[in-house]
mmCIF file of all heavy atoms in Angstrom:
data_model
loop_
_atom_site.group_PDB
_atom_site.id
_atom_site.type_symbol
_atom_site.label_atom_id
_atom_site.label_comp_id
_atom_site.label_asym_id
_atom_site.label_seq_id
_atom_site.Cartn_x
_atom_site.Cartn_y
_atom_site.Cartn_z
ATOM 1 N N LEU A 653 112.958 127.443 133.796
ATOM 2 C CA LEU A 653 111.901 126.496 133.334
ATOM 3 C C LEU A 653 111.283 127.132 132.099
ATOM 4 O O LEU A 653 111.003 128.245 132.014
ATOM 5 C CB LEU A 653 110.770 126.301 134.309
ATOM 6 C CG LEU A 653 111.146 125.663 135.625
ATOM 7 C CD1 LEU A 653 109.914 125.724 136.605
ATOM 8 C CD2 LEU A 653 111.589 124.143 135.450
ATOM 9 N N ILE A 654 111.043 126.241 130.957
ATOM 10 C CA ILE A 654 110.211 126.599 129.924
ATOM 11 C C ILE A 654 109.082 125.605 129.948
ATOM 12 O O ILE A 654 109.305 124.379 130.098
ATOM 13 C CB ILE A 654 111.024 126.494 128.617
ATOM 14 C CG1 ILE A 654 111.978 127.543 128.414
ATOM 15 C CG2 ILE A 654 109.933 126.550 127.305
ATOM 16 C CD1 ILE A 654 112.836 127.547 127.171
ATOM 17 N N ILE A 655 107.837 126.123 129.887
ATOM 18 C CA ILE A 655 106.704 125.255 130.237
ATOM 19 C C ILE A 655 105.800 125.424 128.965
ATOM 20 O O ILE A 655 105.150 126.500 128.764
ATOM 21 C CB ILE A 655 105.957 125.706 131.410
ATOM 22 C CG1 ILE A 655 106.849 125.632 132.651
ATOM 23 C CG2 ILE A 655 104.697 124.759 131.590
ATOM 24 C CD1 ILE A 655 106.310 126.404 133.855
ATOM 25 N N ASP A 656 105.798 124.501 128.069
ATOM 26 C CA ASP A 656 104.875 124.572 126.878
ATOM 27 C C ASP A 656 103.441 123.891 127.156
ATOM 28 O O ASP A 656 103.382 122.897 127.619
ATOM 29 C CB ASP A 656 105.539 123.848 125.687
ATOM 30 C CG ASP A 656 106.701 124.598 125.039
ATOM 31 O OD1 ASP A 656 106.807 125.826 125.338
ATOM 32 O OD2 ASP A 656 107.493 124.064 124.277
ATOM 33 N N CYS A 657 102.414 124.700 126.713
ATOM 34 C CA CYS A 657 101.056 124.254 127.005
ATOM 35 C C CYS A 657 100.199 124.325 125.776
ATOM 36 O O CYS A 657 100.638 125.013 124.757
ATOM 37 C CB CYS A 657 100.470 125.131 128.036
ATOM 38 S SG CYS A 657 101.327 125.218 129.669
ATOM 39 N N MET A 658 99.202 123.638 125.672
ATOM 40 C CA MET A 658 98.066 123.566 124.740
ATOM 41 C C MET A 658 96.790 123.683 125.462
ATOM 42 O O MET A 658 96.561 122.936 126.359
ATOM 43 C CB MET A 658 98.044 122.482 123.755
ATOM 44 C CG MET A 658 99.203 122.430 122.852
ATOM 45 S SD MET A 658 99.057 121.073 121.608
ATOM 46 C CE MET A 658 100.693 121.151 120.901
ATOM 47 N N THR A 659 95.953 124.696 125.204
ATOM 48 C CA THR A 659 94.862 125.011 125.984
ATOM 49 C C THR A 659 93.673 125.630 125.169
ATOM 50 O O THR A 659 93.967 126.240 124.187
ATOM 51 C CB THR A 659 95.142 125.942 127.094
ATOM 52 O OG1 THR A 659 94.092 126.259 127.949
ATOM 53 C CG2 THR A 659 95.853 127.233 126.654
ATOM 54 N N ASP A 660 92.456 125.384 125.752
ATOM 55 C CA ASP A 660 91.324 126.201 125.137
ATOM 56 C C ASP A 660 90.886 127.326 126.273
ATOM 57 O O ASP A 660 89.901 127.899 125.982
ATOM 58 C CB ASP A 660 90.093 125.145 124.993
ATOM 59 C CG ASP A 660 89.754 124.384 126.286
ATOM 60 O OD1 ASP A 660 90.489 124.554 127.256
ATOM 61 O OD2 ASP A 660 88.614 123.758 126.219
ATOM 62 N N ASN A 661 91.682 127.552 127.246
ATOM 63 C CA ASN A 661 91.355 128.474 128.226
ATOM 64 C C ASN A 661 92.645 128.960 128.924
ATOM 65 O O ASN A 661 93.144 128.426 129.834
ATOM 66 C CB ASN A 661 90.494 127.859 129.236
ATOM 67 C CG ASN A 661 89.947 128.936 130.254
ATOM 68 O OD1 ASN A 661 90.648 129.872 130.578
ATOM 69 N ND2 ASN A 661 88.762 128.709 130.756
ATOM 70 N N THR A 662 93.310 130.026 128.334
ATOM 71 C CA THR A 662 94.533 130.535 128.820
ATOM 72 C C THR A 662 94.458 131.014 130.240
ATOM 73 O O THR A 662 95.414 130.969 131.008
ATOM 74 C CB THR A 662 95.191 131.616 127.914
ATOM 75 O OG1 THR A 662 94.165 132.647 127.750
ATOM 76 C CG2 THR A 662 95.564 131.079 126.602
ATOM 77 N N THR A 663 93.303 131.589 130.633
ATOM 78 C CA THR A 663 93.165 132.095 132.016
ATOM 79 C C THR A 663 93.327 131.012 133.012
ATOM 80 O O THR A 663 93.971 131.196 134.083
ATOM 81 C CB THR A 663 91.755 132.680 132.179
ATOM 82 O OG1 THR A 663 91.616 133.775 131.223
ATOM 83 C CG2 THR A 663 91.638 133.317 133.629
ATOM 84 N N ARG A 664 92.595 129.881 132.679
ATOM 85 C CA ARG A 664 92.666 128.697 133.593
ATOM 86 C C ARG A 664 94.177 128.109 133.609
ATOM 87 O O ARG A 664 94.815 127.861 134.709
ATOM 88 C CB ARG A 664 91.811 127.552 133.113
ATOM 89 C CG ARG A 664 91.952 126.211 133.874
ATOM 90 C CD ARG A 664 91.247 125.030 133.063
ATOM 91 N NE ARG A 664 91.978 124.729 132.020
ATOM 92 C CZ ARG A 664 91.341 124.468 130.661
ATOM 93 N NH1 ARG A 664 90.031 124.549 130.611
ATOM 94 N NH2 ARG A 664 92.139 124.257 129.685
ATOM 95 N N THR A 665 94.745 128.061 132.403
ATOM 96 C CA THR A 665 96.150 127.487 132.410
ATOM 97 C C THR A 665 97.177 128.150 133.014
ATOM 98 O O THR A 665 98.000 127.728 133.846
ATOM 99 C CB THR A 665 96.540 127.318 130.910
ATOM 100 O OG1 THR A 665 95.484 126.606 130.197
ATOM 101 C CG2 THR A 665 97.941 126.609 130.788
ATOM 102 N N VAL A 666 97.219 129.609 132.867
ATOM 103 C CA VAL A 666 98.172 130.397 133.617
ATOM 104 C C VAL A 666 98.059 130.374 135.102
ATOM 105 O O VAL A 666 98.963 130.320 135.935
ATOM 106 C CB VAL A 666 98.225 131.871 133.029
ATOM 107 C CG1 VAL A 666 96.958 132.544 133.528
ATOM 108 C CG2 VAL A 666 99.553 132.551 133.557
ATOM 109 N N ALA A 667 96.695 130.269 135.579
ATOM 110 C CA ALA A 667 96.499 130.204 136.896
ATOM 111 C C ALA A 667 97.020 128.783 137.566
ATOM 112 O O ALA A 667 97.592 128.806 138.706
ATOM 113 C CB ALA A 667 94.976 130.361 137.282
ATOM 114 N N ASP A 668 96.775 127.702 136.798
ATOM 115 C CA ASP A 668 97.249 126.476 137.318
ATOM 116 C C ASP A 668 98.774 126.365 137.297
ATOM 117 O O ASP A 668 99.422 125.902 138.243
ATOM 118 C CB ASP A 668 96.823 125.339 136.297
ATOM 119 C CG ASP A 668 95.283 125.115 136.463
ATOM 120 O OD1 ASP A 668 94.715 125.513 137.559
ATOM 121 O OD2 ASP A 668 94.757 124.405 135.610
ATOM 122 N N VAL A 669 99.395 126.884 136.279
ATOM 123 C CA VAL A 669 100.956 126.910 136.217
ATOM 124 C C VAL A 669 101.481 127.827 137.360
ATOM 125 O O VAL A 669 102.405 127.329 138.058
ATOM 126 C CB VAL A 669 101.405 127.484 134.844
ATOM 127 C CG1 VAL A 669 102.788 127.739 134.857
ATOM 128 C CG2 VAL A 669 101.012 126.407 133.808
ATOM 129 N N ARG A 670 100.922 128.984 137.653
ATOM 130 C CA ARG A 670 101.456 129.945 138.618
ATOM 131 C C ARG A 670 101.123 129.262 139.977
ATOM 132 O O ARG A 670 102.089 129.273 140.827
ATOM 133 C CB ARG A 670 100.717 131.265 138.506
ATOM 134 C CG ARG A 670 101.095 132.154 139.661
ATOM 135 C CD ARG A 670 100.315 133.552 139.639
ATOM 136 N NE ARG A 670 100.844 134.370 138.596
ATOM 137 C CZ ARG A 670 99.979 134.590 137.466
ATOM 138 N NH1 ARG A 670 98.783 134.175 137.387
ATOM 139 N NH2 ARG A 670 100.442 135.395 136.412
ATOM 140 N N HIS A 671 100.108 128.540 140.166
ATOM 141 C CA HIS A 671 99.797 127.939 141.476
ATOM 142 C C HIS A 671 100.884 126.814 141.726
ATOM 143 O O HIS A 671 101.300 126.814 142.871
ATOM 144 C CB HIS A 671 98.399 127.422 141.530
ATOM 145 C CG HIS A 671 98.152 126.693 142.755
ATOM 146 N ND1 HIS A 671 97.877 127.358 143.981
ATOM 147 C CD2 HIS A 671 97.880 125.336 143.071
ATOM 148 C CE1 HIS A 671 97.566 126.428 144.910
ATOM 149 N NE2 HIS A 671 97.614 125.290 144.465
ATOM 150 N N ALA A 672 101.119 126.002 140.681
ATOM 151 C CA ALA A 672 102.073 124.876 140.837
ATOM 152 C C ALA A 672 103.517 125.427 141.256
ATOM 153 O O ALA A 672 104.078 124.889 142.110
ATOM 154 C CB ALA A 672 102.205 124.107 139.607
ATOM 155 N N LEU A 673 103.889 126.608 140.602
ATOM 156 C CA LEU A 673 105.216 127.122 140.774
ATOM 157 C C LEU A 673 105.313 127.697 142.217
ATOM 158 O O LEU A 673 106.247 127.454 142.943
ATOM 159 C CB LEU A 673 105.432 128.175 139.783
ATOM 160 C CG LEU A 673 105.775 127.826 138.299
ATOM 161 C CD1 LEU A 673 105.727 129.000 137.430
ATOM 162 C CD2 LEU A 673 107.078 127.073 138.262
ATOM 163 N N THR A 674 104.313 128.589 142.638
ATOM 164 C CA THR A 674 104.412 129.174 143.923
ATOM 165 C C THR A 674 104.300 128.142 144.987
ATOM 166 O O THR A 674 104.946 128.235 146.113
ATOM 167 C CB THR A 674 103.266 130.193 144.091
ATOM 168 O OG1 THR A 674 102.044 129.679 143.880
ATOM 169 C CG2 THR A 674 103.524 131.431 143.097
ATOM 170 N N LYS A 675 103.474 127.038 144.839
ATOM 171 C CA LYS A 675 103.289 126.031 145.992
ATOM 172 C C LYS A 675 104.593 125.367 146.158
ATOM 173 O O LYS A 675 104.870 124.901 147.200
ATOM 174 C CB LYS A 675 102.299 124.998 145.515
ATOM 175 C CG LYS A 675 102.022 124.001 146.414
ATOM 176 C CD LYS A 675 100.898 123.145 146.124
ATOM 177 C CE LYS A 675 100.618 121.960 147.131
ATOM 178 N NZ LYS A 675 100.242 122.492 148.388
ATOM 179 N N HIS A 676 105.568 125.271 145.181
ATOM 180 C CA HIS A 676 106.764 124.603 145.287
ATOM 181 C C HIS A 676 107.914 125.498 145.259
ATOM 182 O O HIS A 676 109.113 125.022 144.763
ATOM 183 C CB HIS A 676 106.882 123.402 144.284
ATOM 184 C CG HIS A 676 105.849 122.379 144.439
ATOM 185 N ND1 HIS A 676 106.009 121.380 145.522
ATOM 186 C CD2 HIS A 676 104.641 122.084 143.847
ATOM 187 C CE1 HIS A 676 104.934 120.576 145.418
ATOM 188 N NE2 HIS A 676 104.112 121.012 144.354
ATOM 189 N N GLY A 677 107.838 126.656 145.656
ATOM 190 C CA GLY A 677 109.000 127.751 145.823
ATOM 191 C C GLY A 677 109.517 128.257 144.445
ATOM 192 O O GLY A 677 110.636 128.638 144.411
ATOM 193 N N GLY A 678 108.746 128.150 143.462
ATOM 194 C CA GLY A 678 109.091 128.852 142.180
ATOM 195 C C GLY A 678 108.406 130.074 141.920
ATOM 196 O O GLY A 678 107.576 130.573 142.784
ATOM 197 N N SER A 679 108.513 130.635 140.721
ATOM 198 C CA SER A 679 107.761 131.817 140.303
ATOM 199 C C SER A 679 107.619 131.872 138.813
ATOM 200 O O SER A 679 108.468 131.382 138.064
ATOM 201 C CB SER A 679 108.593 133.117 140.868
ATOM 202 O OG SER A 679 109.818 133.146 140.246
ATOM 203 N N LEU A 680 106.685 132.625 138.383
ATOM 204 C CA LEU A 680 106.421 132.721 136.997
ATOM 205 C C LEU A 680 107.120 133.992 136.487
ATOM 206 O O LEU A 680 107.170 135.048 137.108
ATOM 207 C CB LEU A 680 104.939 132.972 136.652
ATOM 208 C CG LEU A 680 104.395 132.748 135.264
ATOM 209 C CD1 LEU A 680 104.619 131.463 134.684
ATOM 210 C CD2 LEU A 680 102.895 133.092 135.205
ATOM 211 N N GLY A 681 107.873 133.915 135.333
ATOM 212 C CA GLY A 681 108.577 134.969 134.717
ATOM 213 C C GLY A 681 107.905 135.595 133.639
ATOM 214 O O GLY A 681 106.787 135.157 133.233
ATOM 215 N N THR A 682 108.581 136.654 133.007
ATOM 216 C CA THR A 682 107.976 137.274 131.858
ATOM 217 C C THR A 682 108.520 136.552 130.601
ATOM 218 O O THR A 682 109.564 135.767 130.530
ATOM 219 C CB THR A 682 108.352 138.809 131.698
ATOM 220 O OG1 THR A 682 109.858 138.740 131.868
ATOM 221 C CG2 THR A 682 107.794 139.478 133.009
ATOM 222 N N SER A 683 107.922 136.793 129.432
ATOM 223 C CA SER A 683 108.318 136.228 128.290
ATOM 224 C C SER A 683 109.793 136.616 127.908
ATOM 225 O O SER A 683 110.114 137.764 127.935
ATOM 226 C CB SER A 683 107.368 136.577 127.078
ATOM 227 O OG SER A 683 107.837 136.066 125.829
ATOM 228 N N GLY A 684 110.617 135.640 127.599
ATOM 229 C CA GLY A 684 112.020 135.912 127.329
ATOM 230 C C GLY A 684 112.881 136.018 128.498
ATOM 231 O O GLY A 684 114.160 136.054 128.318
ATOM 232 N N SER A 685 112.338 135.749 129.714
ATOM 233 C CA SER A 685 113.147 135.846 130.913
ATOM 234 C C SER A 685 114.153 134.763 131.105
ATOM 235 O O SER A 685 115.209 134.883 131.750
ATOM 236 C CB SER A 685 112.341 136.054 132.126
ATOM 237 O OG SER A 685 111.421 134.898 132.308
ATOM 238 N N VAL A 686 113.842 133.462 130.581
ATOM 239 C CA VAL A 686 114.804 132.431 130.660
ATOM 240 C C VAL A 686 115.103 131.723 129.306
ATOM 241 O O VAL A 686 116.059 130.962 129.224
ATOM 242 C CB VAL A 686 114.267 131.340 131.699
ATOM 243 C CG1 VAL A 686 113.968 131.997 133.084
ATOM 244 C CG2 VAL A 686 113.125 130.606 131.107
ATOM 245 N N ALA A 687 114.342 132.010 128.198
ATOM 246 C CA ALA A 687 114.410 131.348 127.014
ATOM 247 C C ALA A 687 115.829 131.437 126.495
ATOM 248 O O ALA A 687 116.362 130.582 125.799
ATOM 249 C CB ALA A 687 113.499 131.872 126.003
ATOM 250 N N TYR A 688 116.597 132.599 126.730
ATOM 251 C CA TYR A 688 117.916 132.789 126.212
ATOM 252 C C TYR A 688 118.891 131.848 126.806
ATOM 253 O O TYR A 688 120.032 131.613 126.285
ATOM 254 C CB TYR A 688 118.491 134.165 126.557
ATOM 255 C CG TYR A 688 118.654 134.377 127.966
ATOM 256 C CD1 TYR A 688 119.838 134.265 128.465
ATOM 257 C CD2 TYR A 688 117.624 134.871 128.840
ATOM 258 C CE1 TYR A 688 120.112 134.528 129.923
ATOM 259 C CE2 TYR A 688 117.861 135.117 130.136
ATOM 260 C CZ TYR A 688 119.113 134.949 130.645
ATOM 261 O OH TYR A 688 119.259 135.091 132.036
ATOM 262 N N GLN A 689 118.552 131.132 127.807
ATOM 263 C CA GLN A 689 119.481 130.116 128.469
ATOM 264 C C GLN A 689 119.206 128.705 127.808
ATOM 265 O O GLN A 689 119.894 127.746 128.215
ATOM 266 C CB GLN A 689 119.089 129.975 129.959
ATOM 267 C CG GLN A 689 119.357 131.206 130.743
ATOM 268 C CD GLN A 689 119.057 131.049 132.235
ATOM 269 O OE1 GLN A 689 119.689 130.240 132.812
ATOM 270 N NE2 GLN A 689 118.104 131.817 132.860
ATOM 271 N N PHE A 690 118.375 128.584 126.789
ATOM 272 C CA PHE A 690 118.155 127.367 126.099
ATOM 273 C C PHE A 690 118.413 127.579 124.544
ATOM 274 O O PHE A 690 118.266 128.535 124.036
ATOM 275 C CB PHE A 690 116.741 126.832 126.348
ATOM 276 C CG PHE A 690 116.349 126.538 127.766
ATOM 277 C CD1 PHE A 690 116.147 127.544 128.720
ATOM 278 C CD2 PHE A 690 116.294 125.167 128.241
ATOM 279 C CE1 PHE A 690 115.814 127.142 130.070
ATOM 280 C CE2 PHE A 690 116.054 124.918 129.508
ATOM 281 C CZ PHE A 690 115.884 125.946 130.473
ATOM 282 N N GLN A 691 118.688 126.381 123.973
ATOM 283 C CA GLN A 691 118.819 126.296 122.457
ATOM 284 C C GLN A 691 117.937 125.224 121.942
ATOM 285 O O GLN A 691 117.870 124.174 122.465
ATOM 286 C CB GLN A 691 120.282 126.051 122.087
ATOM 287 C CG GLN A 691 120.420 125.969 120.540
ATOM 288 C CD GLN A 691 121.907 125.606 120.195
ATOM 289 O OE1 GLN A 691 122.694 125.122 121.073
ATOM 290 N NE2 GLN A 691 122.314 125.693 118.953
#
Side-chain angles (χ1 to χ4, degrees):
L653 297 172
I654 292 177
I655 305 161
D656 281 347
C657 302
M658 289 188 191
T659 179
D660 59 350
N661 185 331
T662 55
T663 302
R664 176 195 67 223
T665 304
V666 70
D668 287 346
V669 169
R670 181 182 285 113
H671 179 69
L673 288 167
T674 54
K675 183 175 178 63
H676 294 283
S679 61
L680 195 62
T682 56
S683 178
S685 58
V686 305
Y688 69 93
Q689 300 182 54
F690 295 79
Q691 179 185 12

